Amino acid sequence: MDADAIVVGHGLAGLVAAAELTDAGRKVLLVDQESEANLGGQAHWSFGGLFFVDSPEQRRLGIKDSAELAYSDWMNTAGFDRDEDHWPREWARAYLDFAGGEKRSWLHEQGMRWFPVVGWAERGDGSAHGHGNSVPRFHITWGTGPGVVAPFARRVEEARARGLVTYAHRHRVDELIVEGGTVVGVRGVHLAEDRAERGVATNRDPKGGFELRAPVVLVASGGIGGNHDLVRENWPERLGTPPKHMVTGVPAHVDGRMIAITQEAGGRLINRDRMWHYVEGIRNWDPIWPGHGIRILPGPSSMWLDANGDRLPAPLLPGFDTLGTLAHLRRSGHDHSWFVTNRSVAGKEFALSGSEQNADLTGKDVRGVLRKRSLADVTPSMQDFLDKGADFVMAETAEELVERMNDLLEEGEPALDAAHVKRQLDERDGQLDNAYSKDAQIAAMRVARSYIGDKISKRAYPPHKLQDPKKGPLVGVKLHILSRKTLGGFETDLSGRVLGHDGEPVRGLYAAGEASGFGGGGVHGYRALEGTFLGGCIFSGRSAGRAMGAELGD
């Protein structure tokens, strides 16, 4: 045997599992098709949001959260309704216990810290019993995605110095070795060296074959978000027809290759039609990987139009219901939609996903956060998109704005009617003449302002008319579908053991992270509450790593 355990995938879930294995004194081979520059995988590029329940940060802001409320929100959002949802339900219960229990203290002990203002993501479908977070739970890690990865990368590096971890980078796994019904190793191709920077697509030039063996193998290879063909192949009918055009929210190496390979070894893939893609994607003006898209995390004030120029109905408001909005927009017959807003709202309410778009938070720059967010009208990253973004236009009047929005159209996309857009803007703005309104979005804006976190950060900007010249100019943003997360995955028990089609564990085989649907084959069900993807990687990686260490015995 070459090691006690092989971990396929050096993203967050793989790092957590490797750290736990080495804490138990096990020798680990960490295998990945990318170079060491990409250690941490997709988590490095994330905003660093983590889902906690009844945290000190929530209590300081007057948020009354509880295990019972979080459980209700999760189950109403997940909508578990299949026979194969048994293990996803069990994982959901276990994860909620973790999120409301030792998760924060355990991460805090390892050096992780969080921004004091808790975000309110996925506010839901407008019903008390339906989808969404009843209270803010989105905790931004100080250091964003790199700050989440750092404790586990440090632990793995320390174990490497002790001789317990061996990196096998640029090793592409093509086969899980199965002997006598037990997974005993991996076989594949050693790829040529590539010194490309993190996230940049690398070569697939073979240098020769390899074979590595261990008593247990963990698949932590991520999802399919970088492979649009696989996304379309698994696209569910409930979300309409698959889009012909998407932008990509993950690097090219998130290709889904290990899914078929693990299936071939006997693993059962479930809930493959459950997925999570954003509808507020914009093309990165300075792309790192092919088709690189960034998500706008919007506040509640912008007017949202479909491709035909019709305002989206409540409760499909900015920041409320990601997949509900996606399904609605697919019925428009087009792959894009529009935000109509102004510079003041864009400057304060538009947060941009990604560690590289938030240099102040990523760099743990307290003065930068105050200077660039609290005091500035527009953050530097947002100003870059206003100045250079291919999907942004600005104008002083609605008629001129629509003309410039139409200039962004490609062949086959419908032109916007300026009079129709202006009428909807006037109707929306007219609802602000009084302190009360029948417009659901205006009411939602005022509710958001009642939360002190949104108020002091101006993530819910003071309600005003979008056409107010003092808040201008007007801004139009062409929005694309942004491929991102795989919610289904390999069915696993609470130890992370991959189950076969007979319901029994495939001996020697484990899965964690996105490859396992973040646990059980789909811990989120049909929808997610946000801040739960990184946490799912951490929890499933920790569970699998500890179970693998225990299986190996003394």
Side-chain angles (χ1 to χ4, degrees):
M1 291 294 177
D2 297 293
D4 296 319
I6 293 171
V7 174
V8 181
H10 65 194
L12 180 58
L15 288 176
V16 175
E20 293 296 314
L21 278 159
T22 58
D23 278 359
R26 312 304 179 191
K27 290 187 176 181
V28 178
L29 269 167
L30 192 57
V31 181
D32 199 283
Q33 64 182 344
E34 295 303 319
S35 68
E36 190 173 347
N38 287 281
L39 198 73
Q42 170 59 20
H44 171 91
W45 299 105
S46 73
F47 200 15
L50 290 174
F51 176 97
F52 295 131
V53 178
D54 193 26
S55 69
E57 289 80 12
Q58 288 175 300
R59 293 193 295 271
R60 279 195 291 268
L61 292 169
I63 299 166
K64 296 180 180 179
D65 201 3
S66 68
E68 294 76 18
L69 184 60
Y71 180 84
S72 174
D73 284 350
W74 190 290
M75 294 302 169
N76 290 336
T77 298
F80 295 125
D81 61 0
R82 299 173 176 174
D83 291 342
E84 60 199 44
D85 281 334
H86 167 72
W87 284 111
R89 279 194 186 93
E90 294 300 308
W91 272 91
R93 292 187 183 99
Y95 178 69
L96 286 165
D97 287 344
F98 179 60
E102 66 173 311
K103 178 182 177 182
R104 187 186 179 283
S105 60
W106 183 66
L107 295 175
H108 191 277
E109 288 172 1
Q110 297 181 69
M112 213 177 286
R113 300 293 184 269
W114 298 275
F115 193 61
V117 177
V118 182
W120 195 355
E122 282 300 296
R123 303 186 189 207
D125 62 3
S127 63
H129 64 278
H131 160 60
N133 284 295
S134 297
V135 298
R137 297 189 177 106
F138 190 82
H139 297 67
I140 300 171
T141 303
W142 194 230
T144 66
V148 175
V149 171
F152 304 105
R154 182 185 65 246
R155 288 171 61 190
V156 169
E157 187 58 33
E158 289 170 352
R160 183 188 186 193
R162 301 195 308 270
L164 292 176
V165 172
T166 300
Y167 289 156
H169 296 300
R170 301 295 291 161
H171 283 61
R172 187 188 70 200
V173 174
D174 295 328
E175 179 187 355
L176 296 176
I177 304 170
V178 182
E179 295 177 352
T182 301
V183 175
V184 296
V186 298
R187 188 180 288 131
V189 173
H190 188 193
L191 301 174
E193 183 180 2
D194 196 314
R195 297 181 181 274
E197 294 182 4
R198 180 189 289 273
V200 176
T202 57
N203 74 67
R204 292 295 180 261
D205 302 332
K207 277 180 55 179
F210 72 87
E211 182 176 299
L212 300 169
R213 290 178 173 256
V216 289
V217 175
L218 172 71
V219 175
S221 53
I224 66 174
N227 186 333
H228 289 185
D229 289 338
L230 268 181
V231 170
R232 294 187 186 98
E233 181 182 321
N234 291 284
W235 192 272
E237 289 185 9
R238 66 182 176 277
L239 293 180
T241 57
K244 295 178 181 178
H245 169 76
M246 292 179 277
V247 293
T248 310
V250 294
H253 60 73
V254 186
D255 55 17
R257 286 188 70 259
M258 282 301 300
I259 292 174
I261 292 167
T262 307
Q263 283 183 285
E264 185 68 23
R268 183 187 182 213
L269 183 67
I270 62 175
N271 297 317
R272 67 182 70 194
D273 64 324
R274 292 177 180 172
M275 53 184 67
W276 187 264
H277 306 299
Y278 293 108
V279 281
E280 312 99 335
I282 52 176
R283 290 171 286 179
N284 194 345
W285 67 270
D286 186 19
I288 297 170
W289 52 80
H292 188 175
I294 297 295
R295 184 204 175 194
I296 295 174
L297 289 77
S301 302
S302 298
M303 191 171 75
W304 203 338
L305 307 178
D306 67 17
N308 298 307
D310 296 323
R311 188 180 179 191
L312 269 60
L316 304 180
L317 308 174
F320 277 67
D321 186 351
T322 294
L323 292 193
T325 306
L326 175 59
H328 176 86
L329 290 174
R330 296 310 303 139
R331 292 193 290 272
S332 74
H334 301 281
D335 294 343
H336 71 280
S337 61
W338 301 95
F339 276 157
V340 175
T341 189
N342 60 38
R343 185 176 183 272
S344 295
V345 171
K348 285 297 187 183
E349 286 197 0
F350 284 5
L352 297 170
S353 67
S355 55
E356 82 284 8
Q357 299 296 329
N358 296 276
D360 49 354
L361 290 168
T362 302
K364 303 181 182 181
D365 180 5
V366 177
R367 291 183 179 179
V369 170
L370 294 173
R371 184 175 65 254
K372 298 174 184 178
R373 293 180 190 268
S374 299
L375 301 179
D377 292 333
V378 182
T379 63
S381 292
M382 192 67 248
Q383 189 63 57
D384 282 338
F385 275 94
L386 290 172
D387 293 339
K388 309 169 192 175
D391 296 310
F392 288 76
V393 293
M394 291 188 287
E396 296 298 333
T397 68
E399 292 80 4
E400 183 184 0
L401 184 75
V402 171
E403 181 180 353
R404 293 183 180 180
M405 290 165 71
N406 283 333
D407 287 341
L408 301 181
L409 296 173
E410 299 181 9
E411 185 177 353
E413 295 178 342
L416 297 169
D417 179 81
H420 183 46
V421 173
K422 178 69 163 63
R423 181 168 57 253
Q424 292 175 98
L425 268 172
D426 289 343
E427 290 169 349
R428 182 257 188 214
D429 284 356
Q431 290 290 302
L432 286 157
D433 287 334
N434 293 289
Y436 37 85
S437 168
K438 70 176 182 180
D439 187 283
Q441 183 172 11
I442 303 300
M445 290 159 54
R446 288 174 172 148
V447 169
R449 288 283 295 176
S450 70
Y451 167 47
I452 189 172
D454 279 347
K455 185 173 183 178
I456 63 176
S457 66
K458 292 190 178 177
R459 285 279 291 136
Y461 199 78
H464 64 278
K465 297 184 178 185
L466 290 177
Q467 297 174 93
D468 182 348
K470 296 178 182 178
K471 304 296 184 181
L474 289 168
V475 176
V477 188
K478 189 178 184 183
L479 303 171
H480 310 269
I481 295 169
L482 177 74
S483 67
R484 185 61 71 85
K485 296 295 181 184
T486 312
L487 298 189
F490 287 102
E491 187 176 28
T492 61
D493 63 15
L494 288 178
S495 296
R497 297 183 299 178
V498 175
L499 305 182
H501 289 278
D502 59 359
E504 295 299 316
V506 178
R507 293 193 300 274
L509 182 60
Y510 290 76
E514 210 168 339
S516 68
F518 304 88
V523 68
H524 299 97
Y526 288 95
R527 299 178 182 88
L529 289 175
E530 291 282 43
T532 56
F533 300 133
L534 296 175
C537 286
I538 290 169
F539 183 59
S540 62
R542 187 178 91 146
S543 299
R546 291 182 175 183
M548 292 165 74
E551 179 180 329
L552 291 167
D554 295 328

